[in-house]
Amino acid sequence: MARLLRTVAMLAVVIGATLAWGDTGYLPPPTLQFSLALEKDTFEVGEPIVALVRLTNHGTGDYIVQTSTRPAGSFDGFAFAVEDERGQAVPPPHPRLPATHWLGSWTTIRPREQTERKFFLNHWFLPLHPGRYTVRAQYIPRTTSGHHTVEWPPVHAAPVSFTIVPVGQTKLAVRIERLAAQLEAGDPLAADFLGFTGETAAIAPLLRALHQHDETVPRHAANALNNILDRPAVIAAALDALRENGPNPVFVEWLHERRLPPAQLMPAYLDHLASPDVVTRRGALIGLRLERDAEHAAVIRAHALRALADPDASVRLEAVRLLAADPEARVTLQRVAEQDSHESVRALAATLVRESHPAGPPAELRP
């Protein structure tokens, strides 16, 4: 792990040396102290591990630090790595689905002043078994200069050790039941905490949350499923839920990231194209676009053409996107661009026609 962090640091030094140039020339690196502390030094299995990071400006000028509502901290330049008492790196969960709604800003740190942030370290590693662990953290200073983002070599915090202790099954079951109730009430943080447990008992409430109407909760639930330790159980339950409840945009995006064979997903997507629920129909079309292959090309085209007559414009938009890569659908897209009743559908179809023919549409697409 130490060797890996040194390699990352050396690479970042090279990158920083090449990127520390703004619109006005070379920008000297800020003088920052980066420190890490944990809320306590002993945690139960599956318990949220709260980390407090502090940046102190020891320079003579202001430093502007990027802050956002993204939970892991990587977007803002922070990174964490955990190793066990043998020095073995704890593997991270599968990469998170990107947030669609988040807030970002810049905070000024005056000379000799500091700023603090809190993160749940559990976003960075799979649930830990009982034992002794060490967490290492780094921060990559960055700023903006004109139209450029400038990065400097990373600063490192002193490593911090902590202990994971067993938790009783009764206490764990009560925790999962309480979090499942909070999740059902629409609390996205409850999804994160369910994932932190790593328990198979968390799979069912997380899969149910994938079908909540507010997309924030389903995205948290999808990312939390990546923390469950029994991955085959997660996939099996997810495929059952897909067949029974149907797809939605977040669900199909998460399934696509699992790199499952299209044959496992296509039948369910095709079966739910006629669902009375608009979100389910959209999800089915998105799923077909993500898993498109040559074997199903004709079937996909036929269903996409039918979806162009859907009464909901958001479904028709997905049908247009599905046909975008189909060379046999260009005439159809031109007709949609001219005749669809909704402006956004017409605009997307027209854009896709122009992009496929930058010099102008061929003769068969002209009025």
Side-chain angles (χ1 to χ4, degrees), residues 144-165:
T144 58
S145 176
H147 300 290
H148 298 91
T149 296
V150 179
E151 292 187 349
W152 291 280
V155 290
H156 296 85
V160 176
S161 295
F162 62 97
T163 301
I164 299 293
V165 297

Side-chain angles (χ1 to χ4, degrees), residues 16-89:
T18 59
L19 292 182
W21 291 83
D23 288 351
T24 59
Y26 174 74
L27 298 177
T31 305
L32 299 175
Q33 178 185 355
F34 178 43
S35 63
L36 166 70
L38 301 184
E39 190 177 50
K40 52 186 181 179
D41 59 9
T42 301
F43 300 86
E44 293 179 337
V45 169
E47 184 180 358
I49 300 175
V50 179
L52 174 68
V53 297
R54 180 182 294 118
L55 283 172
T56 304
N57 182 4
H58 291 293
T60 57
D62 293 347
Y63 175 68
I64 302 177
V65 61
Q66 179 175 306
T67 59
S68 76
T69 57
R70 293 192 177 187
S74 57
F75 185 78
D76 299 331
F78 297 95
F80 304 89
V82 173
E83 59 187 35
D84 61 22
E85 51 195 345
R86 298 174 299 172
Q88 298 296 313

Side-chain angles (χ1 to χ4, degrees), residues 223-251:
N223 288 324
L225 285 168
N226 295 338
N227 286 72
I228 303 302
L229 293 172
D230 190 346
R231 297 190 178 186
V234 172
I235 296 302
L239 291 175
D240 287 342
L242 177 65
R243 288 187 286 267
E244 181 177 351
N245 303 318
N248 65 42
V250 175
F251 197 2

Side-chain angles (χ1 to χ4, degrees), residues 5 8 34 72-74 77-81 121 124 135-140:
L5 287 175
V8 172
F34 178 43
S74 57
F78 297 95
F80 304 89
L121 290 184
W124 288 85
V135 56
R136 304 178 188 276
Q138 73 173 30
Y139 170 71
I140 299 179

